[in-house]
Amino acid sequence: MPARIFKQYPLLVRLVAYVVCFSLLIAFLLATLRLWIVHDDEIDTIRQNLVELQGSHADSLTKNLWNMDQEGIDIQLKSILQYPDVKAVVLINSYGDRFQSGAVPVETDDLVVHGFSLAKQLKEKSVELGKITIYAAPDRLHDRLRHHFPLVLVTEMIVLFLSGVFILGLFLFKYNRHINKIAKFAGDLRISTLDQELQLDRKKSAPGHQDELDRIVSSLNEMRKRLQNGVGVQLRTEQQLLREKVFSDAIINSLPGLFVVYNEDLKAILFNDRYREKLGVSEDEVAGYQFLDRVVPEDRKKFTEAIQHVFATQHPVSVEVEMVSLDQGRIPYLINGSLFEYEGQKYLIGMSTDITEQRKHEDALRQSQKMEAIGTLAGGIAHDFNNILAAIIGNIELARAGHLSPEKLDKYLSSGLSASFRARDLVEQILSIGRRGQQKKQPLCVATVVKEVVKLLRATIPTTVEIITDIDCDRLILADATQIHQVILNLCTNGYHSMQDTGGCLKISLSEENITEKKHSAKVSLPVGQYLSVEISDTGCGMDKATQKMIFEPYFTTKKSGEGTGLGLAVVHGIVQGHDGHITVKSAPGKGTTFELLFPLLADQEIITAADVDLPEVHGGTERILLVDDEKWILDVISELLELHGYTVTTFVSSLEALNHFRKDPSQFDIVVTDMNMPNLSGELLGKQILAIRSDIPMILCTGFSKTMNSKQSFDDGFSAYMTKPIESRTLLRTIREILDASNRRKLDVLLVDDDSFNQKIVSLLLEYHGHRITVADNGQIALEKLVEKRFDIIFMDMQMPVLDGLQATKIIRDCERNGLESEIFEQWAGKKTNFLQGGHIPVVALTGNLDDESRKQCREAGMDEFLAKPFTRDAINKIIQQITKYPLTVDSQDGFQEAGSSGEKQEANGEDLRKIAWEHLRSVYPLEEKQLTELLDESVRSLKLSIQEASQALALNQIVILESIAHKIKGTLMGLGLVTQIELARMLHISAKKSDIREYASLFRQLTESLQALIENGGHND
């Protein structure tokens, strides 16, 4: 029962407790006060009684003292002592005699002392006789008060308690039930009950006489109404917001591409379903997912720079990149980004559109235009080809004539061979015009392209049209040769068509134009810089303003039906824009037309062509070759060539007969060389059948032209090489020899660990050249993760890398080899356990630019097996693998294991010379084609440029650890290029970083960057 009351009336219980406690305190204080007052009254009474004693005994005492009546004095003193509360009486006369009755008490707070003088009045003179002192103490008063205090206290408590109970009862009856009702009303208040008013079971007060309860009820009802109105507004707002969110989500999710909004930390805060689905992550994981991880590696730098550009300039940007899909395919996307600010925060809006179909349509447009151009040039091509055939036939007939001197015979044969090469080039040119597929930009001399186009046009265009060339600039641009060829050819044929009835003049001019700030307004779409100006003008019928506005629209044409597709100028416009160029047109009816094309010029440099390179000597062999081609004369020529170089050749015109012969004894041949296009069984199918019989036999696929096969497809099908006819004898012999040499080697699974893309590319190419299978990791941690997934035969490990360097990674590998699944440090870095390594020993080769004793000691202590010094060469890798894996390898005669720069001479050089030196060094070290060497050189220059930028930032912040790492990386790149002077500077730079000498580092860094400035400005064309 008490517990229920406490729970039901907690406030009342507390009030009762407060009243009881307060009553006790007040009762105690009141009782104490009352007793104190009684005590003071009693003391005052004693004082009054003593004064009365003075009045009643003063005269008699004076008389007895005057008469010296000692007995009378004693009697009087004793009589005074008999009075209540009197404890002692002391009389001292004028002679000092002391008369006392009773014992003088100890002095206390309650002791009352009353004294007065006794004097005799003689005439006009008063004679003092003595002094009397009376001592009184209220002893019995204290006893009375002690007995009276409890009664007083209880009385006061009862009175106060009854008053409190009355007040509490009154509160309970008059107010508490109303308070409980108010509390219940407030506790039960819900959105659904806001329309219910609070009313108390009491008489309403008159207006102006409201008490506290009335004001509380009134306030609660007013609050209820405000809440009711506010909730209504909130509900309507929430419904509106919900409708708007559903509407906006529907819009965002209906967008055809990927939509995302990033904050300044590049965390996705708003995105559509397509964005999440393409990333393949859950909605909760999107915010922490890096979109950059899905961009293909070669486009990441371009993508990052675009984002930085948006944040730096706040200008919208568009960039085309390829993304890796969930099935590991590549999808091209056009990404548009813009920046906006809201509440002081910057946000990046990204919209990505899949442009796969768009690229297909663009390819179709270009292809259609190419076919149109080829049709236009068909007569000229036939004319040129007939001229070439005439030269070949004529020279061969002269060579067959009798009694010729060796010099003349060599002359005729050489002329015939040269004419054959021109025929080959003409066929390749025709094929390149019509070839589909993505093209690559390279340094290109447009003057050469113009000459090729004019050569075709002169044989096609009638003599009524004069062709004039004015080539005043032979500098290079970064462009795709086929596309530039297509642009110039298209504009020239358009000009010819406008003059084919009347004749006229077609002029092609090349000049250099410098776009400055003053000229910038006229060329609004181009930044300031140097440009190649290509002008193609004709004296034909011209165009009006309305036509000029439409000429770059797809399918717009002024030609008659069946004479044109209307795609040519649209394709031209797209190609020019794709080369960061600009195209303008000037024309008027009857005054001809002039097209001006502007392309950014590359810095001056020298491009080394294949003609400048001395070809290595080719070697033959004694191996057995199966040669298959449906052309008998080709078999005769190639078989005789191979037999002259020591090979045993078996030839077949029929691919089916060749397959049957191979089935009888698959081990009788060492290599197969087959044509692609043959009746009954194509070279592709023949190769697959032979590989099904004997999977390890190397095969070479040769073709004059194929729509279904290319180099990559042939390698995927298992062919060792893909060659395009006509094939030069040296090329064929060198390819066969290299394949046969490589086929004798064991194929290794190699893990290449290096954070430098240039080094990755070089070592991968050299290892793949020998047929090894390469897996690449950017740092030690990724390498450990790869070791969990796959077994490797050997590891090439860079010493210095971010996250986890080569030395640490090697120590972890060795720990796992000892402890297997118990290796905690391996699991910590790789994220998983593995038993692939336990009990074994994977050879680890250190990739380094330093072969000093300290580096060797560090590598040995870490558990590395060998060192590979820069520059990385084919022979050096051969020797390393041969030494570690203990199997024979075929190597070239020259020693490839050398310090960087040992093949070159120390010299000062400008940008052109440095590039030439580096190119020649790469050519002497790496067995690669000219195009691959150029790509490697450009890649190394880009790497140097990036390293110099990073070093400049670290130098400004005095980050010595980063400076040491960058110096090591710069030194390695320069060693790969064979630039001796710069390598020495880089060595000194690395040493100064190790010594933490910032001043020396800054001085050396300035010298190094100045010596490389021309190379960096002239290189890296693919940036």
Side-chain angles (χ1 to χ4, degrees), residues 684 688 708-719:
E684 178 185 3
K688 290 180 179 179
T708 60
M709 180 62 68
N710 54 39
S711 177
K712 182 179 182 303
Q713 182 62 42
S714 69
F715 283 118
D716 292 341
D717 289 343
F719 288 92

Side-chain angles (χ1 to χ4, degrees), residues 814-876:
R814 298 306 182 219
D815 182 80
C816 189
E817 288 174 344
R818 290 190 299 270
N819 302 315
L821 296 175
E822 302 301 322
S823 177
E824 296 180 358
I825 189 171
F826 185 91
E827 182 182 5
Q828 176 185 347
W829 281 98
K832 294 181 181 178
K833 297 180 179 181
T834 183
N835 57 4
F836 283 175
L837 306 178
Q838 188 172 14
H841 181 87
I842 299 181
V844 178
V845 179
L847 303 179
T848 178
N850 295 325
L851 279 179
D852 52 30
D853 293 338
E854 181 63 26
S855 298
R856 290 178 182 274
K857 180 181 178 182
Q858 291 177 353
C859 293
R860 294 297 186 194
E861 291 176 350
M864 291 181 167
D865 299 275
E866 195 48 79
F867 317 93
L868 182 61
K870 299 174 183 178
F872 306 131
T873 68
R874 180 176 59 181
D875 294 339

Side-chain angles (χ1 to χ4, degrees), residues 463-534:
T463 55
T464 55
V465 176
E466 181 184 8
I467 302 176
I468 300 175
T469 58
D470 181 13
I471 299 177
D472 193 30
C473 178
D474 59 356
R475 291 179 59 184
L476 308 181
I477 67 171
L478 186 66
D480 174 69
T482 301
Q483 291 187 345
I484 298 301
H485 191 286
Q486 182 180 356
V487 166
I488 297 174
L489 183 59
N490 180 279
L491 295 177
C492 289
T493 53
N494 280 352
Y496 154 64
H497 286 153
S498 69
M499 301 180 292
Q500 60 183 351
D501 295 331
T502 60
C505 177
L506 177 66
K507 184 177 182 180
I508 308 170
S509 302
L510 297 185
S511 62
E512 183 178 332
E513 182 168 349
N514 189 21
I515 303 295
T516 62
E517 293 291 345
K518 293 181 179 179
K519 294 184 179 181
H520 193 261
S521 59
K523 318 287 185 183
V524 290
S525 62
L526 293 177
V528 173
Q530 291 182 315
Y531 290 84
L532 173 67
S533 172
V534 181

